[in-house]
C-alpha cells in the first residue's frame, strides 16, 4: 500500500472532548492511526492518519447550535477525504427530548444524502460499551446490573435519563422513524443484521437502536454497517469499523498505529481537578516528588502566584539532575466548597486561567511535555498552548492516551479528566512522555 497516497478513511464527530479522546484511543487500539482535533480546524491539513476525530462541545448546547457545529465538522472531514463518518456520543446516551443525538444524526444524514443518497438514508444508534458494562438489550440500556434510569443518570443535572428504552428516547428527538435491531439479529451475525436493516429501511425507518451485549456483537454490527455513510454510537461501535477498511484493502494490517514522533525537552505536571482520583494521585506524587500548591485565595488577592510557580519549576529544572514538578490547585471537596462560597463560582475559572498561563509561559521557556489533570483545566491549557490537533498514542490508563501535538515544535500532552487514571498516573504518564513503554 502506498503510504503517501493514503487519505483518512473514517471521519468522527464527538460531542465532547473526553469522549473524543476515548473514541480516538479505541481506534488506535483497533489499528488506525488517529488524529484528534480540538474544535473544527480553520484550514485543511495534510494528516498522516487513517481516522480523524473532531472534538466538539455540543452535548448540552441548544440543538440548532449543535447541528451547525456538527455540519461544519462534517464539511471539514469530507474536505480531508474521509469516506465514512461516525457521530460519537456518551455510552449513557446523554441527551434530552430536545436533542442532541436525534437532531444531529438527522442533519448529518441530510447533508450526506444531498450529494448521493446511497447509504445515507439510514443509520444505527448504539451506545453499548460492554467493557464498561453498558449494554443494550431489546432497546433497553443497562449500566452495570441495572437499567439506565436506576444508574444515577436519572438525576444528572443537564441530561437526566429517566427512560431506559432508547427507541422511545430517540423517537422523542426526531421526526424520522426509529426502529430496533434486536439482539436475535445481532447474535445471528453480519448477514442477519444486514437483513434486519433491509427490512427496517423497507418499513420506512431512518434510524435504529441496535442491541449489543459483547464486543463480538459490536464487531457483527460494525461489519454490517460497512456500506452506511454514517454510523452513530458510543466508542464501542468503533471496534467493528476498522476491519471493514482492512477487508476493502484500504487499511494496512502492519502499521504501528500508536507510533508517535520523538520529542525532547523537560516535563511538568499541572493539576486543576479536585476529583477523588486526582486528590489521590496528587498525594501519591507528593509523597516522593516536588510540588507546589496554587492557592485560589492568593490568586484572588492578586498575588504573584503564577510567577512563584514558574520560579519553582525553574529551580527544579535548572539543576544537574532536572526534576519534573507538580503544580496543583487540587483540594478536597470541602476546601473547594469553602473557596467557592468565599470567592464566588468564578474561582474555578480563575484557577484554570492561572494554570493555563503557567503552561503558556513554561512552553516559552522550553518545556515540551505537559501532563494535565482536569477536563476543563485541560481545555484551558491546550487553548493557551495553541494546540489544535493531537496525534493519539497508546493508552497510559484506560481512556487516557499519550498524545503529541501536530505542527511545528510538537508538544507531548497527557490530558486526564477528573476520575481517570490509577493512583500513580502522573509518574506513569511521565514515563510515556519520555518515550518509555512500561
Ligand atoms: P474534573 O475533570 O475533575 O471535573 P475540571 O478541570 O473539569 O476537573 O474541573 C475542576 C474545576 O475546579 C476547575 O474549574 C478548577 O479550576 C476548579 N478548582 C480546582 N481546584 C480548586 C480549588 N482549590 N478551589 C476552587 N476551585 C478549584
Amino acid at each position: 500500500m502506498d503510504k503517501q497516497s493514503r487519505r483518512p478513511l473514517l471521519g468522527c464527530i464527538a460531542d465532547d472532548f473526553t469522549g473524543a479522546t476515548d473514541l480516538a484511543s479505541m481506534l488506535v487500539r483497533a489499528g488506525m492511526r488517529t488524529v484528534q482535533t480540538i474544535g473544527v480546524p480553520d484550514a485543511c491539513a495534510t494528516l498522516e492518519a487513517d481516522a480523524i476525530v473532531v472534538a466538539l462541545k455540543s452535548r448540552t448546547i441548544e440543538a440548532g447550535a449543535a447541528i451547525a457545529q456538527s455540519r461544519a465538522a462534517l464539511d471539514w472531514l469530507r474536505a480531508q477525504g474521509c469516506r465514512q463518518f461516525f457521530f460519537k456520543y456518551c455510552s449513557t446516551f446523554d441527551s434530552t427530548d430536545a436533542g442532541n443525538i436525534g437532531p444531529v444524526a438527522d442533519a448529518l444524514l441530510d447533508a450526506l444524502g444531498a450529494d448521493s443518497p446511497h447509504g445515507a438514508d439510514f443509520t444505527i444508534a448504539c451506545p453499548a460499551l460492554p467493557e464498561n458494562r453498558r449494554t443494550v438489550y431489546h432497546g433497553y440500556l443497562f449500566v452495570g446490573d441495572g437499567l439506565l434510569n436506576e444508574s444515577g443518570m436519572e438525576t444528572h443535572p443537564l441530561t437526566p435519563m429517566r427512560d431506559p428504552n432508547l427507541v422511545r428516547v430517540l423517537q422523542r428527538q426526531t421526526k424520522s422513524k426509529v426502529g430496533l435491531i434486536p439482539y436475535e439479529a445481532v447474535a445471528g451475525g453480519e448477514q442477519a443484521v444486514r437483513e434486519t436493516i433491509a427490512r427496517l429501511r423497507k418499513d420506512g425507518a431512518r434510524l435504529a437502536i441496535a442491541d449489543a451485549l459483547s464486543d463480538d456483537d459490536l464487531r457483527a454490527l460494525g461489519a454490517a454497517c460497512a456500506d452506511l455513510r454514517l454510523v452513530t454510537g458510543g466508542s464501542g461501535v468503533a471496534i467493528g469499523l476498522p476491519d471493514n477498511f482492512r477487508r476493502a484493502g484500504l487499511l494496512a494490517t502492519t502499521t504501528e498505529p500508536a507510533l508517535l514522533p520523538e520529542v525532547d525537552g523537560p516535563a511538568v505536571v499541572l493539576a486543576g481537578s479536585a476529583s477523588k482520583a486526582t486528590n489521590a494521585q496528587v498525594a501519591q506524587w507528593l509523597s516522593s516528588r516536588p510540588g507546589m500548591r496554587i492557592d485560589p485565595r492568593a490568586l484572588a488577592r492578586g498575588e504573584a502566584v503564577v510567577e512563584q510557580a514558574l520560579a519553582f519549576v525553574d529551580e527544579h529544572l535548572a539543576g544537574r539532575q532536572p526534576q519534573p514538578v507538580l503544580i496543583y490547585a487540587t483540594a478536597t471537596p470541602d476546601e473547594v466548597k469553602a473557596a467557592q462560597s468565599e470567592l464566588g463560582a468564578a474561582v474555578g475559572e480563575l484557577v484554570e486561567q492561572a494554570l493555563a498561563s503557567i503552561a503558556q509561559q513554561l512552553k516559552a521557556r522550553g518545556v515540551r511535555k505537559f501532563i494535565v489533570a482536569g477536563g476543563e483545566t485541560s481545555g484551558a491549557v491546550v487553548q493557551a498552548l495553541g494546540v489544535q490537533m493531537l496525534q493519539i498514542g497508546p493508552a497510559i490508563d484506560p481512556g487516557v492516551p499519550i498524545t503529541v501535538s501536530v505542527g511545528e515544535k510538537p508538544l507531548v500532552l497527557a490530558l486526564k479528566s477528573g476520575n481517570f487514571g490509577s493512583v500513580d498516573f502522573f509518574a506513569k504518564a511521565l514515563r510515556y512522555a519520555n518515550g518509555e513503554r512500561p
Side-chain angles (χ1 to χ4, degrees):
M1 201 170 309
D2 175 9
K3 203 166 165 230
Q4 295 308 313
S5 66
R6 278 169 61 186
R7 308 199 68 186
L9 302 165
L10 185 66
C12 310
I13 301 165
D15 68 355
D16 88 333
F17 183 81
T18 44
T21 310
D22 177 23
L23 171 63
S25 223
M26 189 73 90
L27 291 169
V28 167
R29 228 164 72 192
M32 295 185 101
R33 296 169 309 160
T34 305
V35 165
Q36 177 177 340
T37 76
I38 297 149
V40 183
D42 314 322
C44 274
T46 311
L47 295 175
E48 273 292 316
D50 304 310
I52 307 178
V53 183
V54 176
L56 300 179
K57 231 178 156 175
S58 57
R59 182 169 298 168
T60 54
I61 62 177
E62 188 268 319
I67 288 172
Q69 286 186 20
S70 306
R71 288 279 306 257
L74 178 70
D75 289 346
W76 186 81
L77 289 166
R78 291 174 96 180
Q80 308 312 305
C82 297
R83 49 181 76 207
Q84 189 178 37
F85 302 89
F86 187 85
F87 170 38
K88 152 78 173 70
Y89 37 80
C90 191
S91 62
T92 41
F93 215 73
D94 300 18
S95 53
T96 68
D97 288 353
N100 290 330
I101 295 173
V104 169
D106 273 328
L108 295 175
L109 283 177
D110 288 345
L112 290 165
D115 303 347
S116 151
H118 183 70
D121 60 334
F122 181 88
T123 189
I124 65 158
C126 180
L129 186 57
E131 69 178 13
N132 283 4
R133 305 193 66 215
R134 270 73 159 154
T135 52
V136 186
Y137 186 65
H138 285 249
Y140 286 81
L141 177 55
F142 289 80
V143 178
D145 296 327
L147 285 166
L148 173 66
N149 59 321
E150 299 165 6
S151 68
M153 277 304 294
E154 67 277 18
T155 57
H156 189 282
L158 301 172
T159 52
M161 302 301 293
R162 299 194 186 100
D163 184 352
N165 183 310
L166 299 184
V167 177
R168 284 193 306 245
V169 171
L170 187 56
Q171 190 62 81
R172 287 195 291 268
Q173 298 180 26
T174 172
K175 288 198 180 76
S176 303
K177 185 170 170 185
V178 180
L180 175 70
I181 302 175
Y183 186 67
E184 289 70 19
V186 178
E190 176 188 348
Q191 195 47 36
V193 177
R194 283 182 182 272
E195 284 161 18
T196 305
I197 290 178
R199 183 175 52 71
L200 287 164
R201 273 182 160 132
K202 231 161 95 199
D203 290 349
R206 196 187 195 207
L207 302 161
I209 298 293
D211 282 353
L213 301 181
S214 68
D215 286 355
D216 280 345
D217 295 338
L218 293 172
R219 283 189 201 98
L221 274 175
C225 290
D227 309 323
L228 300 184
R229 301 292 311 285
L230 176 71
V231 177
T232 87
S235 57
V237 177
I239 290 174
L241 300 178
D243 272 345
N244 294 334
F245 298 116
R246 267 188 207 108
R247 278 190 286 268
L250 297 165
L251 179 65
T253 42
T254 49
T255 357
E256 166 51 82
L259 202 62
L260 296 178
E262 266 178 46
V263 177
D264 278 334
V268 70
V269 186
L270 303 171
S273 150
S275 72
K276 204 169 154 192
T278 308
N279 267 288
Q281 288 155 350
V282 166
Q284 164 89 3
W285 173 278
L286 293 176
S287 68
S288 63
R289 294 177 184 241
M292 183 186 139
R293 178 158 189 268
I294 300 274
D295 176 9
R297 287 178 189 81
L299 274 175
R301 286 194 299 268
E303 289 177 21
V305 176
V306 169
E307 291 69 20
Q308 287 160 15
L310 293 171
F312 183 79
V313 178
D314 280 349
E315 183 194 321
H316 285 86
L317 290 181
R320 231 185 308 140
Q321 278 204 318
Q323 257 193 315
V325 304
L326 163 70
I327 306 292
Y328 65 101
T330 308
T332 63
D334 284 346
E335 288 170 307
V336 173
K337 234 185 254 163
Q340 283 169 340
S341 62
E342 204 177 306
L343 305 168
V347 63
E349 211 183 316
L350 192 67
V351 171
E352 285 167 32
Q353 287 315 317
L355 289 169
S357 166
I358 291 167
Q360 194 174 36
Q361 296 185 59
L362 288 176
K363 179 187 163 194
R365 292 165 189 226
V367 173
R368 286 282 163 268
K369 298 166 186 169
F370 296 85
I371 314 300
V372 188
E376 293 299 323
T377 306
S378 294
V381 167
V382 290
Q383 196 176 17
L385 293 174
V387 170
Q388 278 207 322
M389 292 190 208
L390 299 169
Q391 197 179 328
I392 307 295
I396 303 162
D397 274 325
V400 199
I402 191 81
T403 75
V404 172
S405 65
V406 177
E408 269 178 69
K409 292 209 178 164
L411 302 172
V412 179
L413 294 155
L415 307 167
K416 180 194 87 79
S417 83
N419 271 321
F420 282 49
S422 53
V423 71
D424 60 344
F425 176 82
F426 296 146
K428 211 172 0 167
L430 278 177
R431 291 201 293 276
Y432 273 83
N434 292 329
E436 295 169 38
R437 293 291 173 262

